[in-house]
Amino acid sequence: MSNKVITLERYIIEGERSHPGATGNFSGVLRDLSLAIKIIWREVTKAGLVNILGMAGSENIHGESQKKLDIFADETIFKAMDHTGHLAVMGTEEHDDILPIPDKYPIGKYVLLFDPLDGSSNIEANVSVGTIFSVYRRISQVGKGMLMDCIQPGYKQIASGYVVYGSSTMLVYTTGDGVHGFTLDPSIGEFLLSHENIRIPSRGKIYSVNEGNYRYWTDGVKKYIKHLQEEDAPTHRPYSARYIGSLVADIHRTLLYGGIFLYPADTRFPDGKLRLMYEGNPLAMIVEQAGGAAVDGSRRILDVVPTRLHQRTPVFMGSIDDVADCQRFVCAGC
Ligand code: AHM
Ligand code: MG
């Protein structure tokens, strides 16, 4: 815990000063995003008070019902970012296609992908939800950004992060120089540095998976989970099971306490359930930057070359030793 009071704003500026030649555009992206996040936080925390809960009557491209707050969060981020001149294009989990910058606004050199409100099926039970984001440099040369800018492999991300709207609201991000966490002080409306340089323990004592899907798993995944439930003192087994069902909250806990989170491919979701561009890549970058590992069962998630904006991926991420153990079981049949 830092003993100085440092705002997110100042931390971003100082970070940029340490990179000679930085233009300020990139810190602008993070600053604008943090404003959108505060607006979403305001709505999420009063969700029970105003009549904003309930279905909006539409479905997203995955055929899932959208809650009103999903739509609100999606629009809030878009509107906070579209006119800034920093971005070339955006993509969000809630839209089938890329979101171009409107004609009236200048075009920038960065690409923003986001999952505006992950885990929104949990809102009515007052369970933590989150926002996940990912920033790339555009690769197209001129004009508005294109699909090719939005489907770059995860190792090309220049920043990623998430916000967990929980008992306190935290923003955790990386620009490839460690992982830093900021806690929102609601009384002053500022994110304050609370967790500088987060490091994930190399081994944990917790596994996190939707065990209700057991019958759909491969034998490798079944054997791995059984292995974690057996007794073995040197490796802390049996592990405890924790599954919130809200990805950001499950990853946040994994980052701080160690262990493993998995959402494997199964007979219902042969490519996995989670989305590579909106969930897998940004969280893989965070976990790796904190000293952990993130794989899809056979390779680093960050090395996957995407072909589709809404591509899904199996996810195994967390403490480096736990992910290595998991790989041995899961990859047995690879
Ligand atoms: P969402 O982006 O539509 O909210 O869905 C993703 C969520 C994750 O937050 C969570 O890890 C997962 O879906 C839970 O899935 P399941 O209910 O199948 O366990
Ligand atoms: Mg999601």
Side-chain angles (χ1 to χ4, degrees), residues 93 115 118-119 275 279:
E93 196 183 279
D115 181 353
D118 186 77
R275 288 74 167 178
E279 297 167 328

Side-chain angles (χ1 to χ4, degrees), residues 16-307:
E16 190 150 83
R17 277 204 199 116
S18 65
H19 287 97
T23 57
N25 279 328
F26 177 58
S27 12
V29 173
L30 292 179
R31 261 204 317 273
D32 296 336
L33 197 54
S34 76
L35 173 64
I37 284 162
K38 283 186 225 171
I39 297 171
I40 296 168
W41 159 77
R42 191 188 63 200
E43 294 306 313
V44 167
T45 51
K46 70 180 185 196
L49 297 173
V50 296
N51 188 22
I52 201 166
L53 287 178
M55 300 299 181
S58 62
E59 289 190 340
N60 69 11
I61 63 142
H62 309 289
E64 300 152 334
S65 301
Q66 286 178 303
K67 301 274 183 174
K68 284 181 186 170
L69 269 175
D70 296 49
I71 297 169
F72 177 83
D74 194 51
E75 289 175 359
T76 299
I77 297 178
F78 184 78
K79 282 191 210 143
M81 307 303 295
D82 67 348
H83 59 281
T84 60
H86 299 317
L87 298 182
V89 62
M90 287 183 255
T92 120
E93 196 183 279
E94 301 297 337
H95 292 264
D96 204 347
D97 295 319
I98 59 170
L99 299 178
I101 300 300
D103 287 339
K104 56 187 171 183
Y105 298 131
I107 303 294
K109 58 182 178 184
Y110 296 108
V111 177
L112 177 69
L113 303 183
F114 57 94
D115 181 353
L117 206 62
D118 186 77
S120 52
S121 63
N122 288 311
I123 290 175
E124 283 171 59
N126 222 346
V127 171
S128 299
V129 291
T131 296
I132 310 171
F133 62 91
S134 178
V135 183
Y136 294 81
R137 216 168 257 118
R138 70 179 298 176
I139 48 176
S140 59
Q141 300 296 313
V142 288
K144 294 190 182 196
M146 308 174 196
L147 180 61
M148 68 194 268
D149 297 310
C150 295
I151 52 171
Q152 302 184 57
Y155 70 82
K156 295 213 165 162
Q157 290 170 108
I158 54 172
S160 78
Y162 63 80
V163 182
V164 55
Y165 308 96
S167 47
S168 61
T169 289
M170 267 194 79
L171 185 152
V172 175
Y173 81 93
T174 181
T175 54
D177 191 15
V179 177
H180 311 296
F182 297 78
T183 302
L184 183 66
D185 182 335
S187 63
I188 56 171
E190 291 276 8
F191 281 103
L192 302 178
L193 181 62
S194 52
H195 298 65
E196 192 170 25
N197 202 17
I198 298 171
R199 303 297 296 168
I200 183 169
S202 58
R203 181 176 288 283
K205 303 175 187 173
I206 296 172
Y207 71 91
S208 185
V209 66
N210 184 343
E211 220 157 340
N213 295 335
Y214 183 87
R215 65 187 299 258
Y216 305 118
W217 293 343
T218 61
D219 284 347
V221 174
K222 285 179 180 169
K223 282 182 188 152
Y224 175 59
I225 296 300
K226 281 285 164 229
H227 163 79
L228 295 180
Q229 293 167 346
E230 282 158 13
E231 205 164 24
D232 178 53
T235 54
H236 310 303
R237 289 187 283 135
Y239 276 32
S240 291
R242 297 280 185 277
Y243 188 71
I244 297 167
S246 208
L247 182 62
V248 163
D250 279 317
I251 293 296
H252 188 60
R253 182 200 56 247
T254 305
L255 200 64
L256 296 182
Y257 297 169
I260 186 164
F261 171 88
L262 48 156
Y263 208 116
D266 61 32
T267 52
R268 296 161 319 146
F269 296 113
D271 300 322
K273 179 186 172 187
L274 300 175
R275 288 74 167 178
L276 177 64
M277 305 311 298
Y278 304 111
E279 297 167 328
N281 277 334
L283 297 174
M285 183 180 184
I286 291 274
V287 168
E288 283 200 5
Q289 279 291 315
V295 299
D296 72 354
S298 56
R299 63 204 148 154
R300 265 175 98 210
I301 288 176
L302 296 181
D303 284 338
V304 176
V305 179
T307 53

